[in-house]
Amino acid sequence: MKVEFAPLSIPLERRLQTASVVHWVFSFLGLGKIYFNVSLEKSAIQAPYRGRKSLRPTLQMGKRRILGWMDLWSDPLVKTAELDPSKNYVVGFHPHGVLVAGAFLNFCTEATGFSQLFPGLTPHMMMLTLWFRVPFFRDYLLSGGLVPSDKDSASYVLRRWGGGNVLVIAVGGAQEALDARPGAFTLLLKNRKGFVRLAMEHGAPLVPVFSFGENELFDQVDNPKGSWLRRTQHRLQQIMGISLPLFHARGVFQYSFGLLPYRRPIFTVVGKPIKVEKKHNPSQEEVDRLHQTYIEELCKLFEAHKTKYNVPEDRHLEFI
């Protein structure tokens, strides 16, 4: 395979963008593992983080947002409707992609100017709870406004008086990452209804969000359902709680292979809010009805904007 090397005369701004992306990928693939290994070897370091209370973001939530390193690498956040800052919202983010790049860019940093587009609102993105048990890495995650993906943390965000909070959920989760590849529009949503029930219990409007270009950032080794690779990935996900897509794209000094994403644009489109009636204990039928409404609104959002972002007219969302 012929290797395409990066030219030497690259502007400083481009080099800084690459550096910020290297940091982001390393934080995903390296920092968690490093801190996790340290915590296993240094039980004294881990001790202050033990217990359920240590996992709750409480006082730190929304007050430790310091990540700004991705401001150098951003694409537009598209607003289609106003969001009332006196309310709390549940945002469904689609698709998950390999590394949830669009969600991190838009909701964990100010790279795309979220606070200017939606003044008075603070986003909090949910992430696997297991990472919040890792010393120091937990603090790193909190600095980006992330919160554990458990019901207590979600309820804490949505119960906060005065509104102004946005709970962001990558609905397809780690399992959907196994289907993330260029040209794919398959969403794991058909039986994902917990976020709908959560919104109903708190009376929080649902907001569908679609990130065009999310699946174009990486190639992935073929893993069709039923293959030994897919079965292995599924088994590891059941054991570890995280998926392990075998992805590749470009490197730092060459463009032919590596773990950095391709330099392709992401356009994250925020849809209009869906009104949700507050019900302490909604019936399954009520949840199903609202879930279907959400899918319909997500489809409308996708269809209305797809041709603007180079999606063929004959391509539609597929739900599994």
Side-chain angles (χ1 to χ4, degrees), residues 145-162:
L146 291 114
V147 297
S149 56
D150 57 62
K151 191 170 183 179
D152 285 347
S153 298
S155 296
Y156 178 83
V157 173
L158 298 175
R159 280 199 310 261
R160 296 179 78 180
W161 184 83

Side-chain angles (χ1 to χ4, degrees), residues 108-150:
C108 297
T109 78
E110 274 297 314
T112 55
F114 180 91
S115 63
Q116 273 116 26
L117 281 174
F118 301 101
L121 292 172
T122 302
H124 304 280
M125 184 176 169
M126 302 197 82
M127 190 171 182
L128 286 173
T129 302
L130 68 91
W131 294 121
F132 289 85
R133 297 192 178 100
V134 183
F136 307 118
F137 191 55
R138 169 184 182 272
D139 301 276
Y140 174 81
L141 296 176
L142 289 172
S143 72
L146 291 114
V147 297
S149 56
D150 57 62

Side-chain angles (χ1 to χ4, degrees), residues 30-169:
L31 284 180
K33 183 178 179 181
I34 290 172
Y35 290 140
F36 183 71
N37 289 337
V38 170
S39 70
L40 290 179
E41 295 175 4
K42 306 292 184 181
S43 58
I45 295 177
Q46 192 175 13
Y49 290 84
R50 290 174 181 160
R52 186 168 181 79
K53 289 183 179 180
S54 68
L55 300 180
R56 299 179 65 181
T58 57
L59 295 178
Q60 300 97 323
M61 186 182 296
K63 299 180 181 179
R64 305 175 64 180
R65 189 182 302 274
I66 61 174
L67 292 185
W69 44 268
M70 291 182 77
D71 291 0
L72 299 166
W73 178 58
S74 60
D75 290 301
L77 176 64
V78 182
K79 175 181 178 179
T80 64
E82 295 293 336
L83 298 183
D84 186 351
S86 68
K87 298 179 180 179
N88 294 323
Y89 294 88
V90 174
V91 164
F93 180 87
H94 313 271
H96 182 284
V98 172
L99 296 182
V100 215
F104 273 83
L105 272 170
N106 293 295
F107 303 116
C108 297
T109 78
E110 274 297 314
T112 55
F114 180 91
S115 63
Q116 273 116 26
L117 281 174
F118 301 101
L121 292 172
T122 302
H124 304 280
M125 184 176 169
M126 302 197 82
M127 190 171 182
L128 286 173
T129 302
L130 68 91
W131 294 121
F132 289 85
R133 297 192 178 100
V134 183
F136 307 118
F137 191 55
R138 169 184 182 272
D139 301 276
Y140 174 81
L141 296 176
L142 289 172
S143 72
L146 291 114
V147 297
S149 56
D150 57 62
K151 191 170 183 179
D152 285 347
S153 298
S155 296
Y156 178 83
V157 173
L158 298 175
R159 280 199 310 261
R160 296 179 78 180
W161 184 83
N165 293 287
V166 177
L167 184 69
V168 183
I169 304 175

Side-chain angles (χ1 to χ4, degrees), residues 172-181 184 186-188 220-238 242-246 320:
Q175 188 175 342
E176 191 178 270
L178 298 178
D179 289 311
R181 51 178 45 84
T186 302
L187 302 182
L188 186 62
Q220 187 172 167
V221 175
D222 286 339
N223 58 343
K225 290 179 174 61
S227 65
W228 69 269
L229 176 57
R230 189 59 168 256
R231 290 196 301 269
T232 301
Q233 290 173 321
H234 182 64
R235 181 58 179 160
L236 288 174
Q237 182 186 342
Q238 290 178 321
I242 57 176
S243 66
L244 297 172
L246 298 181
I320 57 174

